[in-house]
Amino acid sequence: MELILDKVSRQYGTKMACSNICLRLTPGVYGLLGANGAGKTTLMRMICGVLKPTSGTITFNQADVHSEAYRDRLGYLPQDFGYYPEFTAQNFLLYLASLKGLSRTTAKKKTLELLSVVSLEKEAKRKIKTFSGGMKQRLGIAQAMLNNPSILVLDEPTAGLDPKERVRFRNLISRLGRERIVLLSTHIVSDVEYIADTIFLMKDGKLLHQGSPQKILQLLEGKVWECLLPPAYAEKLCTEKSFPIVNIRQEEENVLLRLVSSQKPSEDAMAVTATLEDLYLYYFSEEASL
């Protein structure tokens, strides 16, 4: 099972939303990181067959993504997940199952199974309008899984969720990635850091880097620092904006700064282990000195 993107580009007028993207995806969880306007949603919409590339090809097991056979293998949770507020969770899934061509018997069985998978079996008869944000997102996952897809595309699935819901959601996605290709786009960096097997860094429509979290973080080796400084000097560093400030914390009479810089920012600065959040700010902060 493999999804292949070969020199895929998408242009809107003079703007190149995606440029010469080459990827090979096999079962596992893939995290797509990038700032707003990086081209993430355009890329995911092309993978889902919603948009056609201006150039290049996307194939799944050598079949074109615009074929009916491919659509039958695809599950998609867009950023703005649409639902009918007056429907109960169960009736909503039954309705979507019928649109996807499932028989009544199969639809009923699959609906009950998926409500259990996303921990909503006790809420099956509740109207969706009474659901929390996390419950709606879990229902969104359930609808994307109705046809038991080989490819699951999730665009900002954890946005707006509280920490408990995000952890539950992450664990669910991790389980789903054992037997299928899961592509996850999110601004919540820790979600990708915890569950992604491979991370893609995307900026201005291009892939900057790709690899395991461990490999990606090697890019920042020796560039993340913490330093305890007098308030005036800390303020000066923050004002200069010559590098991303990751965190600022008051420590009694001084200020503890965590920042990303190719150069040692002060004499007493200590190099620390990089996180994916550090990396994100290094590449995507407007203050980054690249």
Side-chain angles (χ1 to χ4, degrees), residues 1 60 71-76 100 110 141-153 176 179-181:
M1 183 192 305
F60 177 67
R71 287 192 294 271
D72 290 342
R73 307 287 298 275
L74 175 72
Y76 181 36
K100 293 188 178 186
K110 197 70 178 176
I141 280 283
Q143 66 82 26
M145 291 291 296
L146 277 168
N147 57 333
N148 192 28
S150 301
I151 303 169
L152 189 57
V153 179
L176 294 176
E179 298 177 349
R180 54 182 54 82
I181 297 168

Side-chain angles (χ1 to χ4, degrees), residues 221-241:
E221 190 171 340
K223 295 181 180 179
V224 183
W225 309 88
E226 286 190 351
C227 41
L228 193 62
L229 302 169
Y233 187 32
E235 181 67 25
K236 181 176 181 291
L237 283 181
C238 293
T239 304
E240 287 176 351
K241 296 183 178 180

Side-chain angles (χ1 to χ4, degrees), residues 45-62:
R45 286 166 65 85
M46 287 192 291
I47 289 174
C48 291
V50 177
L51 291 175
K52 286 190 175 183
T54 305
S55 61
T57 59
I58 306 176
T59 56
F60 177 67
N61 291 348
Q62 301 182 339

Side-chain angles (χ1 to χ4, degrees), residues 65-108:
V65 297
H66 293 95
S67 66
E68 186 174 343
Y70 176 77
R71 287 192 294 271
D72 290 342
R73 307 287 298 275
L74 175 72
Y76 181 36
L77 177 59
Q79 186 171 353
D80 298 314
F81 166 50
Y83 60 90
Y84 298 100
E86 295 295 331
F87 275 39
T88 65
Q90 184 172 357
N91 285 341
F92 178 66
L93 292 182
L94 287 171
Y95 171 67
L96 291 181
S98 69
L99 294 181
K100 293 188 178 186
L102 276 67
S103 69
R104 186 176 182 83
T105 301
T106 302
K108 187 173 181 179

